[in-house]
């Protein structure tokens, strides 16, 4: 099959096909007498699998999985896929709990009866399960805004910032996309007094995870078809 025919079918450029080959995520091609690459149905199956898996699993995982498929490490590839799906289920559970916390306004604070309660970065990390390094990074790039303890300069976080941290923690392991960028932007710009807005963002985030779940199902289908075509399944 000619590269241009595959590129048109998959709606990508011929240079993308070459890049996939250079990255080692599709089998090497033979060359015609004039030096052009010769693609087969097997190559098409790999290309289709890449396109189907990358939206839900990310290009890095898709590439690692397809390299293992080429080396016939099918079980290792399938367990890698399973791990990503398990992480997505974890993130979905976390977001559902976050929505419950926001709706009941039972934030992880030592004493919610106080007008304003401030937690150190270590206390926030302990209460939310988010590493201090991630919280510092979000603070540095402006997704959250900390205050400073005038006595020692340590970061302090109040109720509104903890809401943002609870929302952001779901996106630590998600695949980069414009949807994630937009959701993070909405979280950063969220009115700190508007709890209902935080709940809407949380529900939008849950819908995004549902979308990723469907994309992973589609990617898994193409991976299954590829494995069958290569006679790698018992």
């Amino acid at each position: 099959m000619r590269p241009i025919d595959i590129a048109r079918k998959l709606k990508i450029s011929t240079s993308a096909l070459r890049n996939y080959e250079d990255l080692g995520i599709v089998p090497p091609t033979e060359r015609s007498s004039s030096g052009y690459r010769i693609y087969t149905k097997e190559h098409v199956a790999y290309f289709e699998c890449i396109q189907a898996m990358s939206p839900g699993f990310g290009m890095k995982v898709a590439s690692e999985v397809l390299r293992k498929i080429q080396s016939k490490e099918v079980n290792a590839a399938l367990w890698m896929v399973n791990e990503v799906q398990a992480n997505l289920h974890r993130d979905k559970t976390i977001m559902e709990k976050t929505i419950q916390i926001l709706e009941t306004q039972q934030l992880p604070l030592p004493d919610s009866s106080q007008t304003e309660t401030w937690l150190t970065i270590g206390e926030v990390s302990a209460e939310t399960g988010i590493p201090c390094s991630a919280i510092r990074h979000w603070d540095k790039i402006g997704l959250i805004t900390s205050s400073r303890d005038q006595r020692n300069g340590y970061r302090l976080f109040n109720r509104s910032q903890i809401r943002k941290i609870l929302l952001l923690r779901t996106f630590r392991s998600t695949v980069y996309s414009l949807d994630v960028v937009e959701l993070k932007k909405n979280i950063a710009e969220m009115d700190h007094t508007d709890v209902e807005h935080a709940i809407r963002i949380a529900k939008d985030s849950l819908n995004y995870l549902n979308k990723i779940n469907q994309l992973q199902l589609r990617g898994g289908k193409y991976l299954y078809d590829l494995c069958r075509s290569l006679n790698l399944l018992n």
Side-chain angles (χ1 to χ4, degrees), residues 2-222:
R2 297 186 308 166
I4 187 63
D5 294 329
I6 298 176
R8 286 172 178 168
K9 177 181 179 180
L10 301 181
K11 297 180 180 179
I12 58 177
S13 65
T14 53
S15 61
L17 301 181
R18 293 194 298 271
N19 288 337
Y20 292 151
E21 186 180 349
D22 292 340
L23 290 171
I25 54 179
V26 298
T29 57
E30 295 184 4
R31 299 274 183 161
S32 66
S33 57
S34 55
Y36 289 104
R37 287 175 168 83
I38 301 174
Y39 290 115
T40 65
K41 289 183 178 180
E42 180 178 320
H43 289 103
V44 175
Y46 271 94
F47 290 134
E48 289 178 336
C49 193
I50 293 167
Q51 279 203 307
M53 288 191 68
S54 56
F57 292 95
M59 194 62 194
K60 180 180 178 181
V61 170
S63 299
E64 291 177 359
V65 166
L66 292 181
R67 289 190 188 100
K68 290 188 180 299
I69 293 299
Q70 285 188 72
S71 60
K72 302 189 184 307
E73 299 176 75
V74 63
N75 287 320
L78 295 180
W79 281 117
M80 186 178 295
V81 168
N82 182 265
E83 181 180 5
V84 176
Q85 292 174 317
N87 289 339
L88 181 68
H89 185 272
R90 177 205 61 199
D91 292 342
K92 173 251 190 186
T93 301
I94 289 174
M95 186 52 73
E96 288 175 337
K97 290 180 179 178
T98 298
I99 292 172
Q100 183 180 14
I101 289 171
L102 293 172
E103 288 179 337
T104 59
Q105 298 191 42
Q106 294 180 347
L107 294 174
L109 294 169
D111 185 357
S112 59
S113 65
Q114 296 182 26
T115 304
E116 189 64 281
T117 303
W118 297 86
L119 298 184
T120 66
I121 190 170
E123 291 170 332
V124 173
S125 177
E127 293 290 344
T128 63
I130 301 297
C132 292
S133 58
I135 298 173
R136 291 192 192 95
H137 175 68
W138 294 338
D139 190 13
K140 182 177 180 180
I141 64 177
L143 290 177
I144 57 177
T145 305
S146 64
S147 296
R148 294 285 181 169
D149 191 324
Q150 294 182 352
R151 297 167 299 176
N152 51 34
Y154 291 168
R155 287 179 173 87
L156 294 174
F157 300 89
N158 61 8
R159 193 175 264 99
S160 64
Q161 299 307 314
I162 292 174
R163 288 193 195 102
K164 292 185 177 184
I165 291 170
L166 289 173
L167 292 171
L168 287 167
R169 66 178 174 176
T170 305
F171 299 111
R172 285 191 302 140
S173 60
T174 51
V175 175
Y176 174 84
S177 70
L178 293 178
D179 289 333
V180 171
V181 172
E182 185 64 24
L183 285 167
K184 286 184 176 181
K185 178 183 177 183
N186 291 339
I187 294 170
E189 296 175 352
M190 187 174 68
D191 184 346
H192 70 277
T193 64
D194 193 345
V195 178
E196 290 302 318
H197 187 201
I199 294 172
R200 288 196 299 273
I201 292 175
K203 291 182 177 179
D204 287 343
S205 302
L206 184 59
N207 287 334
Y208 170 74
L209 296 179
N210 289 334
K211 176 183 175 182
I212 293 297
N213 191 35
Q214 294 177 19
L215 289 172
Q216 288 186 356
L217 177 64
R218 182 174 185 272
K221 186 265 183 189
Y222 276 82

